Amino acid sequence: MGATIQALLDLQEVELQVADIRRQVASREKRVAAQAARVQAGQKELAAHRDQTRALQIEFDALDLDIKSRNTSVAKLREQLNAVRTNKEYQAILSEMNNARAEIARVEARGMEMMQQIETRKGEAETRAAQIAVEETRLSELRGELERAQQSFSERLSRLNAQRDAAAAKVHPEVLKQFNRLSERFDGEVMARVSRPNPRRDEFICEGCNMSVSAERASALMSRDDVTTCGHCGRILHIARGA
Ligand SMILES: [Zn+2]
């Protein structure tokens, strides 16, 4: 194998590792974003839940006031009862009082129901808040993992950059340009090996696309350090001597 092709293979190795690092960072970033969204959604739901509970509490407080004022009315009726002169009046006020008491009992029952509802909702809110706290802990763990990964990757990336510079120095600038263009297109997988699937046949294929490569081209690749691209996929071809 010629020096240029070897340098290009080294470059590709660097590109693939860089692409892999980028993928890993991106997937960790995605995990962090998804977890942050989960926490945010939970907080939003909890806030809405608490708002509803507060509205219920306001309704309950109004009901409580209503009961108090109804009780005051009943007390007034009781006073009137002491002052009546006729049995007819007495019966009328007594009936009014009974009606008012029945109404109070009804409103109180409703109030009791609401109070229970409010207590249940407060319990639910606590459970939800605890769940959110768990999700928040997970989020900060994921953020920590991402930071540590970025830290270790940045060290690896600077080593890879040095390797890339060393390999690039061995390649003609035009070839380097071509390589970088292809790297962009194939996500770092620029080099394609030419292989001979059947050792008894003089047929060669590009492993990048599995299409055939002529025998003349294959033998030229074996004997020279030329940069040639596959006519089908466009990757730079290389071949092991004696393939
Ligand atoms: Zn190909």
Side-chain angles (χ1 to χ4, degrees):
M1 188 171 302
T4 302
I5 292 297
Q6 184 55 57
L8 289 177
L9 284 169
D10 292 346
L11 265 181
Q12 168 173 262
E13 183 51 33
V14 169
E15 291 301 335
L16 290 178
Q17 285 188 43
V18 169
D20 183 51
I21 286 173
R22 289 212 185 102
R23 258 195 303 275
Q24 285 188 52
V25 169
S27 106
R28 281 174 194 279
E29 282 170 343
K30 221 166 129 183
R31 244 175 286 162
V32 167
Q35 185 64 18
R38 195 170 300 136
V39 167
Q40 215 180 11
Q43 284 167 337
K44 208 174 150 191
E45 261 177 54
L46 178 58
H49 186 273
R50 281 185 169 144
D51 281 349
Q52 283 167 13
T53 306
R54 255 192 296 278
L56 216 56
Q57 181 72 50
I58 288 166
E59 209 183 312
F60 174 80
D61 292 345
L63 215 65
D64 205 35
L65 272 181
D66 185 39
I67 290 168
K68 279 188 184 117
S69 98
R70 283 175 195 273
N71 275 325
T72 310
S73 305
V74 169
K76 275 181 192 153
L77 286 172
R78 198 180 294 116
E79 276 170 30
Q80 284 175 33
L81 207 57
N82 291 330
V84 293
R85 305 202 175 272
T86 70
N87 189 46
K88 197 180 167 195
E89 262 185 288
Y90 183 85
Q91 290 303 333
I93 294 173
L94 194 64
S95 149
E96 200 183 331
M97 256 176 78
N98 285 338
N99 285 343
R101 282 205 182 108
E103 186 60 18
I104 288 170
R106 199 187 59 77
V107 177
E108 274 177 344
R110 166 91 187 108
M112 193 65 85
E113 220 174 80
M114 283 179 74
M115 205 158 79
Q116 276 167 358
Q117 222 180 326
I118 288 167
E119 286 311 309
T120 305
R121 293 186 65 88
K122 281 181 177 166
E124 282 168 3
E126 270 175 42
T127 308
R128 285 182 188 210
Q131 284 165 349
I132 291 170
V134 170
E135 299 290 359
E136 276 172 334
T137 305
R138 180 79 191 119
L139 175 60
S140 54
E141 279 168 10
L142 287 173
R143 282 197 173 127
E145 280 172 25
L146 172 64
E147 254 172 58
R148 281 193 293 282
Q150 278 167 335
Q151 180 63 35
S152 85
F153 285 153
S154 91
E155 285 158 17
R156 261 183 75 195
L157 279 173
S158 52
R159 274 203 304 279
L160 287 168
N161 279 333
Q163 284 176 34
R164 178 194 278 144
D165 291 346
K170 296 175 192 161
V171 178
H172 189 277
E174 281 306 314
V175 174
L176 194 60
K177 248 191 236 171
Q178 184 184 12
F179 178 90
N180 288 335
R181 237 182 358 254
L182 291 170
S183 181
E184 197 103 335
R185 181 168 150 202
F186 294 111
D187 218 4
E189 286 181 27
V190 179
M191 308 297 288
R193 201 166 63 158
V194 172
S195 62
R196 189 177 190 177
N198 188 336
R200 275 172 297 185
R201 287 202 192 155
D202 219 16
E203 286 169 4
F204 298 86
I205 60 157
C206 159
E207 288 186 357
C209 63
N210 288 322
M211 300 296 272
S212 69
V213 172
S214 71
E216 298 76 43
R217 207 142 188 221
S219 86
L221 279 171
M222 266 182 262
S223 57
R224 294 199 295 265
D225 189 24
D226 284 350
V227 174
T228 349
T229 52
C230 169
H232 300 283
C233 67
R235 292 180 176 87
I236 296 172
L237 297 170
H238 67 99
I239 192 168
R241 220 172 281 273

